[in-house]
Amino acid sequence: MRKAVGAHDETEPRVEHDGAMWRIRSYEAATTVLRARHRTTQAGFTAEKIPRGYFRKHPILISDGDEHDSQRKEVARYFAPAVVSAKYGEFINERAQALVDRAVANGGLRLDEAALNYSVEVTAEIVGLTESSTDAMAKRLVGFFRQPPVDLAAPAMGRTRRQWAQAAVNGLLPIGRFYVHDVQPAIRSRRSRRRDDVLSHLLSAGYSTADILVECMTYGTAGMVTTREFITMACWHLLTDEELGRRYTESSQPTRLKILEEIIRLDPVVGHLYRRAQADIEVSDNGCPHTISAGDLIDVCVRQTNTDPHAMGTAPETIIPGRDLGRGTAATGLSFSDGAHACPGQPLALYETDALVHKLLTIGPRILRKPEISWDNLIEGYRLRGMDLSLMERSRPAATREPI
């Protein structure tokens, strides 16, 4: 069953309009919105407040239309499943094994902290941020998320002037440190010698320093935030469901990935996706039509769409790897979004999560302390902190129930 239960996890109405915002809880209607190419623009992550005049090229997170499509196509080759496995598989598995070996030597680990450094290490290798300490980089990236609350449907996004000033300080200082310590040395290194990574591609494509900084920030935080939580959530499920944990540990990678897809479908890291309608959009839910007008704000409620029985079939709030899905329904639901802004890092997130989680479960960890759940207002997702695992007894079975 779902581990992270939000305070506003209502499943009805499936399509709701309260005057300020459309809330979409229907998978059918949500995919129509997310696939409405050229009729919506990015409105999440405070994208509508990010000034665009400073950039030669709009950041991939907030760009839309043909420009966005071109940017995605250019970077997709770094995150394609075959590339992740063939080019980065050995590196990922080596880093995962090194983490597990250290944990065994220490008798245990705090999983969310270890997952943070591991996910940043992997992302840094692919992006090209390899000229600085990844542990220090992780701390700088975490600092960016210390932000005041935001309400996209409220005037000024629900923030006072003082809160906007605080957001600027809390955001700009970590970004400045990230540039000085991580991005600038990597740019300098690749100006003298290009490599086969994202940063080298950006330089060759004529991106300015500001452009590169924002792109590195985007890939760094996305790779860090989603995968860190995913790893912790996956272990929590697999260590508290004895049968599921046993099946995962004993299965080949294709089956393991199906199990992980079900876990992130049920417990998506990012719970809401926001779009601004730039033209009227006709959506339908089970034969009931709705018209979203140009200018309207749309909230795609991922946690609800991912448990929509019309798309997910039998028992949508349980984990059933290989479940019988509705036509056109992704195994991960909308956990990695859909349409133009679908996350290009999905194959990487699944691969690196499996690499670490499988190695951990194989040696039989035990939960000493289950994670505490809080909610990140900026990305509308959960945070799992303080999950401690014991690795003292190597003879333990691969999955054990968490203590009451």
Side-chain angles (χ1 to χ4, degrees), residues 21-319:
M21 179 186 292
W22 288 86
R23 292 179 176 84
I24 309 295
R25 303 180 178 96
S26 153
Y27 189 90
E28 177 188 2
T31 52
T32 299
V33 168
L34 296 175
R35 296 171 187 175
R37 192 177 298 273
H38 305 302
R39 286 182 287 162
T40 68
T41 52
Q42 173 70 276
F45 313 106
T46 68
E48 294 181 313
K49 288 289 186 180
I50 297 175
R52 303 193 176 202
Y54 297 105
F55 306 112
R56 186 180 303 166
K57 296 179 180 288
H58 288 173
I60 194 169
L61 181 67
I62 62 173
S63 65
D64 288 284
D66 293 340
E67 180 181 16
H68 177 81
D69 294 345
S70 176
Q71 289 172 307
R72 278 185 57 87
K73 184 177 180 180
E74 290 169 356
V75 301
R77 62 189 176 96
Y78 297 101
F79 300 100
V83 173
V84 169
S85 176
K87 184 177 179 182
Y88 302 109
E90 183 177 355
F91 173 81
I92 291 171
N93 281 289
E94 284 178 355
R95 301 324 303 154
Q97 189 62 57
L99 189 158
V100 171
D101 290 344
R102 287 195 301 271
V104 170
N106 293 331
L109 80 166
R110 174 150 292 180
L111 182 58
D112 52 281
E113 293 180 358
L116 168 65
N117 293 331
Y118 166 70
S119 59
V120 171
E121 194 171 27
V122 171
T123 302
E125 179 70 15
I126 296 174
V127 174
L129 298 171
T130 56
E131 309 304 314
S132 56
S133 163
T134 52
D135 288 355
M137 187 193 310
K139 292 182 175 65
R140 287 187 279 273
L141 290 170
V142 167
F144 176 74
F145 287 92
R146 298 190 180 101
Q147 297 285 336
V150 63
D151 180 356
L152 298 183
M157 296 189 177
R159 286 177 175 173
T160 64
R161 290 184 178 179
R162 182 174 182 177
Q163 285 176 318
W164 275 112
Q166 181 185 347
V169 171
N170 290 1
L172 291 175
L173 286 178
I175 290 175
R177 296 187 185 107
F178 179 59
Y179 171 72
V180 170
H181 296 286
D182 306 304
V183 179
Q184 188 178 49
I187 290 176
R188 188 181 300 119
S189 172
R190 280 149 185 80
R191 285 197 192 280
S192 61
R193 184 174 68 88
R194 296 286 197 271
R195 304 181 197 179
D196 188 16
D197 53 35
V198 174
L199 201 154
S200 295
H201 157 72
L202 297 176
L203 284 169
S204 298
Y207 279 63
S208 69
T209 300
D211 296 334
I212 292 173
L213 173 59
V214 173
E215 295 298 339
C216 288
M217 195 75 191
T218 299
Y219 290 115
T221 54
M224 173 195 76
V225 172
T226 57
T227 309
R228 175 192 197 179
E229 308 303 344
F230 185 17
I231 289 169
T232 308
M233 180 60 77
C235 277
W236 194 9
H237 274 284
L238 295 168
L239 289 172
T240 54
D241 184 329
E242 185 174 351
E243 175 57 27
L244 187 67
R246 182 196 61 76
R247 181 179 175 186
Y248 175 83
T249 304
E250 296 176 357
S251 294
S252 62
Q253 189 188 56
T255 299
R256 299 200 306 267
L257 293 180
K258 288 181 180 179
I259 293 172
L260 292 177
E261 287 175 337
E262 265 290 273
I263 289 173
I264 202 167
R265 176 195 65 81
L266 184 61
D267 272 307
V269 177
V270 177
H272 296 263
L273 302 169
Y274 295 94
R275 300 291 183 268
R276 179 76 64 181
Q278 300 300 327
D280 290 357
I281 304 172
E282 301 291 335
V283 301
S284 176
D285 172 47
N286 201 27
C288 181
H290 302 269
T291 301
I292 299 173
S293 299
D296 287 349
L297 183 62
I298 309 164
D299 173 8
V300 174
C301 305
V302 177
R303 297 165 62 75
Q304 288 81 356
T305 62
N306 281 11
T307 53
D308 180 354
H310 295 284
M312 301 303 167
T314 304
E317 294 190 357
T318 61
I319 294 175

Side-chain angles (χ1 to χ4, degrees), residues 79 84 230 261 264 330-333 335-337 342-352:
F79 300 100
V84 169
F230 185 17
E261 287 175 337
I264 202 167
T332 56
S335 297
F336 292 97
S337 190
C343 176
Q346 176 177 342
L348 174 62
L350 288 166
Y351 190 100
E352 65 177 298

Side-chain angles (χ1 to χ4, degrees), residues 335-382:
S335 297
F336 292 97
S337 190
D338 201 329
H341 279 277
C343 176
Q346 176 177 342
L348 174 62
L350 288 166
Y351 190 100
E352 65 177 298
T353 296
D354 177 64
L356 177 57
V357 173
H358 188 246
K359 288 176 175 58
L360 269 176
L361 263 67
T362 298
I363 60 176
R366 179 171 59 92
I367 295 179
L368 292 179
R369 178 186 175 195
K370 67 180 182 179
E372 296 179 359
I373 304 175
S374 60
W375 298 88
D376 188 315
N377 186 257
L378 183 63
I379 68 165
E380 297 284 355
Y382 57 77

